[in-house]
Amino acid sequence: MPVTALHAAMSGIAAAHQRVNTVSHNIANLQTEDFKPLKTTQESQTAGGVTTRTEQAEAPEEVSIAEQFVEANLASVQAKASAQIMRVEDELTGT
């Protein structure tokens, strides 16, 4: 089954949501002793859309608040772009 623009946009919004959850978790726990931060990666799918994977660091490491805020901003841009794709798809198909 081919991936529609709507499905690709929905996967983009879901990926952005997961990235924000990861950032929230890392910031909330950054002062926890021996904290192992989470990292979310996303991968483009050949048929369209993205998949995400969240993993915990193997060892405790320092969390950069600046890097977390940049990640949150990038996720926000991704969500807005995906929402725009959904709006355009809706306009084009009239659904």
Side-chain angles (χ1 to χ4, degrees):
M1 176 169 92
V3 175
T4 65
L6 179 62
H7 289 111
M10 288 172 48
S11 74
I13 290 172
H17 179 75
Q18 184 59 43
R19 290 167 65 189
V20 169
N21 283 344
T22 297
V23 166
S24 299
H25 172 81
N26 288 344
I27 290 174
N29 291 290
L30 75 109
Q31 292 186 342
T32 302
E33 188 175 337
D34 295 328
F35 176 60
K36 298 175 185 175
L38 298 177
K39 181 177 182 182
T40 298
T41 56
Q42 63 183 63
E43 183 177 317
S44 297
Q45 297 300 297
T46 8
V50 296
T51 58
T52 57
R53 183 175 60 241
T54 301
E55 297 176 335
Q56 188 172 39
E58 291 183 17
E61 57 185 69
E62 191 173 317
V63 174
S64 165
I65 294 176
E67 288 177 11
Q68 296 301 302
F69 278 111
V70 168
E71 177 65 16
N73 283 326
L74 290 172
S76 173
V77 169
Q78 177 182 6
K80 289 175 186 174
S82 295
Q84 183 62 28
I85 290 169
M86 291 177 85
R87 281 190 286 277
V88 170
E89 170 79 358
D90 180 50
E91 289 173 10
L92 291 174
T93 60
T95 58

